Amino acid sequence: ETFAEHWVQSGTLDMHFETAASSSSDSTKAPENLAYLANTYARLRLSSNSELNEAFATTSMRQLSQFTAWQLALLCGALVHLPSQGQKACITLIAQEVFSDVLKDCSLGHLALLTSAFGYARASLTSPVAASLTKHTCSLAASARAALAQPHRGGDHRTLTSGSLGSLLDGAVHLLSPSQCLQVLAALRPLTMDLVEKGNLRASALYSVFSAHAHLGLRDLELFEALAPVGVSILEENEGSLRSERLFTALGMLGVTPGHLGKSLDKALLVKAPSLSLAESTQALLAASSLEFRDISANTVEALISA
């Protein structure tokens, strides 16, 4: 926080970036330093200094053309957690002005950070860029699956891939057309099944898979049955406190409760009901009605009504 105060009062952040940018030998170092600095503050959850947050956004906007793909991904991932007046404007500018130039250089992880940020800022893509994003994501999904099958790839790589999967699906729902979303879902399906088989599908990815299918009205029962034991395990480990209402709402839209997932969600929602907002509890009740109250106990329904 002391460093933040110093940078804001002295204008050192702008000065350092502009000085480095004017030197040909440091032309790639300046955006890298800025991205790392923003990422450090975001990871340490030092987001209370609105002036510094604004400096990150405005300084970045002046030099966006100098950022590489991974630097933009790192910057966007940080800006989401550093609220300011220029935050969403900077992310939107990245989506609309420079994303197309770096798209071909993006990895699956980069795309996850960028598309997640674009969704957060409610940014949009032009039709050609959305088409390129769809094609590149499908290509990367196949590569990621091949890498996952290599014996030297450890658990860290599988965790990273699973985390990227959830963010990519959330971004696809916001940025792409329904037909493009279907292409991305089809490309990511084998990777999803591989992650399930290896026991490395994270909660965020599980929720995003069901939500994306609900958004498209796509009932992939074979996939849902494979995901059900993972969902049960996650809900039991977390007492259902981790976005269980989102998962239940998606299942209600799909009209399915695969395996023992419905019973686990019933227990989870009973625990979480008191902390739900009116909108969340209403959505959960609508989902229960769509499912004809299968696997949902009277106690849970009463708790949702009282929430």
Side-chain angles (χ1 to χ4, degrees), residues 157-167 195 200-205:
H157 174 77
R158 290 193 289 269
T159 299
L160 176 62
T161 303
S162 180
S164 300
L165 175 66
S167 296
L195 289 167
N200 285 98
L201 192 74
R202 295 171 61 178
S204 58

Side-chain angles (χ1 to χ4, degrees), residues 151-258:
H152 67 275
R153 294 285 185 172
D156 288 344
H157 174 77
R158 290 193 289 269
T159 299
L160 176 62
T161 303
S162 180
S164 300
L165 175 66
S167 296
L168 275 171
L169 287 173
D170 290 342
V173 166
H174 174 74
L175 296 166
L176 303 179
S177 68
S179 63
Q180 290 169 333
C181 280
L182 283 172
Q183 291 179 55
V184 169
L185 270 180
L188 291 174
R189 188 184 190 278
L191 179 61
T192 304
M193 295 293 276
D194 288 348
L195 289 167
V196 170
E197 183 180 342
K198 294 178 183 296
N200 285 98
L201 192 74
R202 295 171 61 178
S204 58
L206 175 80
Y207 299 147
S208 296
V209 170
F210 276 111
S211 293
H213 281 79
H215 174 75
L216 295 168
L218 181 63
R219 292 169 51 128
D220 186 340
L221 298 182
E222 181 184 4
L223 176 63
F224 297 165
E225 288 295 334
L227 292 173
V230 181
V232 170
S233 177
I234 290 172
L235 289 166
E236 289 178 349
E237 289 175 8
N238 293 279
E239 295 249 337
S241 61
L242 192 61
R243 303 172 82 181
S244 54
E245 73 284 354
R246 178 186 175 189
L247 178 55
F248 187 62
T249 299
L251 292 178
M253 292 172 67
L254 291 164
V256 296
T257 50

